[in-house]
């Protein structure tokens, strides 16, 4: 998710006022700013007051776009789901070999989290502590769906040497658990331990 650039401070009163956001643009700005605040060291809970301050608006302005803070997080989860599962489909269509395909699909998830540290906190649930319980349920379902997609990839390629149904389920589970562990480590380390570190070596072991 792209970050917002910080607007420059006008030097004179004659500076032109900032144009009003187009319909839907303010919602995107709110979500981008929330994701950016989640990248800050320390892992503090982001409040709507802090979010409004960074945007230079009132909290009431936030609630004109989203009925609740939970809806803001749901917007981030929507972005995560649409991005990851869209790329999963593309990789599935582009790569015929099942093992290479799930390796690339797992790498994509690691890379997505690495490029979006704030969203990684949402994915592992760190940012959802003390928020509405349905948000964590959605992220749990996200990883269930990711595992199911890997399983389908492994089962759906009828090639010599392709894993059978008995192998597909445990391999998909192991790859998903590995990805979750790497994301947890990434967040716990304050984003210092990158989830893609040594992925090639780890993949060689997991997919041997």
């Amino acid at each position: 998710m792209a970050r917002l650039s910080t607007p420059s401070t006008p030097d004179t009163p004659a500076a032109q006022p900032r144009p009003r956001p187009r319909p839907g643009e303010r919602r995107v700005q709110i979500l981008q700013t929330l994701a950016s605040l989640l990248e800050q060291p320390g892992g503090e809970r982001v409040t709507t007051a802090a979010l409004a301050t960074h945007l230079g608006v009132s909290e009431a302005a936030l609630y004109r776009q989203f009925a609740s803070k939970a809806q803001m997080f749901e917007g981030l989860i929507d972005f995560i789901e649409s991005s990851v599962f869209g790329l999963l489909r593309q990789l599935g269509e582009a790569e015929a070999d099942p093992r290479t395909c799930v390796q690339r699909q797992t790498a994509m998830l690691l890379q997505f989290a690495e490029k979006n540290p704030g969203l990684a906190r949402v994915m592992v649930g760190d940012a959802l502590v003390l928020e509405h319980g349905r948000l964590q349920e959605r992220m749990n379902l996200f990883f269930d769906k990711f595992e199911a997609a890997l399983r389908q990839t492994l089962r759906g390629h009828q090639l010599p040497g392709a894993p059978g149904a008995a192998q597909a389920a445990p391999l998909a589970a192991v790859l998903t658990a590995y990805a979750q562990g790497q994301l947890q480590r990434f967040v716990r380390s304050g984003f210092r331990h990158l989830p893609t570190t040594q992925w090639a070596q780890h993949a060689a072991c997991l997919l041997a």
Side-chain angles (χ1 to χ4, degrees):
M1 176 171 287
R3 299 183 186 179
L4 291 177
S5 59
T6 304
S8 57
T9 303
D11 294 325
T12 67
Q16 293 297 317
R18 189 183 306 173
R20 292 178 62 85
R22 294 186 296 272
E25 190 177 67
R26 177 64 79 189
R27 290 175 63 89
V28 173
Q29 289 178 343
I30 291 170
L31 295 179
Q32 289 176 335
T33 304
L34 176 56
S36 179
L37 290 175
L38 290 172
E39 296 180 12
Q40 301 305 311
E44 290 85 1
R45 185 169 183 247
V46 177
T47 64
T48 53
L51 183 57
T53 298
H54 277 77
L55 281 163
V57 300
S58 66
E59 288 186 74
L62 299 181
Y63 290 116
R64 283 196 289 272
Q65 302 296 327
F66 295 93
S68 64
K69 187 181 174 187
Q71 275 196 0
M72 299 177 199
F73 276 103
E74 286 181 326
L76 294 182
I77 295 173
D78 288 341
F79 178 80
I80 293 168
E81 290 178 338
S82 63
S83 300
V84 170
F85 291 121
L87 291 169
L88 272 178
R89 286 191 294 272
Q90 292 178 28
L91 291 170
E93 294 167 358
E95 180 57 62
D97 179 72
R99 289 183 183 273
T100 301
C101 188
V102 294
Q103 179 176 348
R104 293 183 65 190
Q105 289 174 324
T106 306
M108 175 274 297
L109 181 64
L110 300 177
Q111 291 163 357
F112 176 83
E114 187 171 305
K115 292 177 180 178
N116 298 279
L119 299 185
R121 287 189 60 200
V122 176
M123 295 167 77
V124 302
D126 175 74
L128 304 179
V129 176
L130 302 179
E131 303 297 343
H132 198 289
R134 73 173 181 271
L135 300 173
Q136 185 60 63
E137 291 173 4
R138 279 194 64 181
M139 286 317 311
N140 293 342
L141 181 60
F142 167 86
F143 284 105
D144 289 344
K145 290 169 65 178
F146 181 81
E147 180 179 336
L150 296 186
R151 189 165 59 244
Q152 182 59 39
T153 295
L154 292 166
R155 289 174 174 171
H157 293 74
Q158 300 302 318
L159 296 173
Q167 293 175 289
L171 183 53
V174 167
L175 288 170
T176 302
Y178 170 86
Q180 288 179 286
Q182 288 294 90
L183 268 57
Q184 287 278 5
R185 191 177 183 187
F186 178 48
V187 171
R188 287 200 309 269
S189 71
F191 310 130
R192 291 186 299 274
H193 186 94
L194 302 180
T196 58
T197 300
Q198 296 187 313
W199 164 241
Q201 298 93 316
H202 295 169
C205 296
L206 294 169
L207 295 165

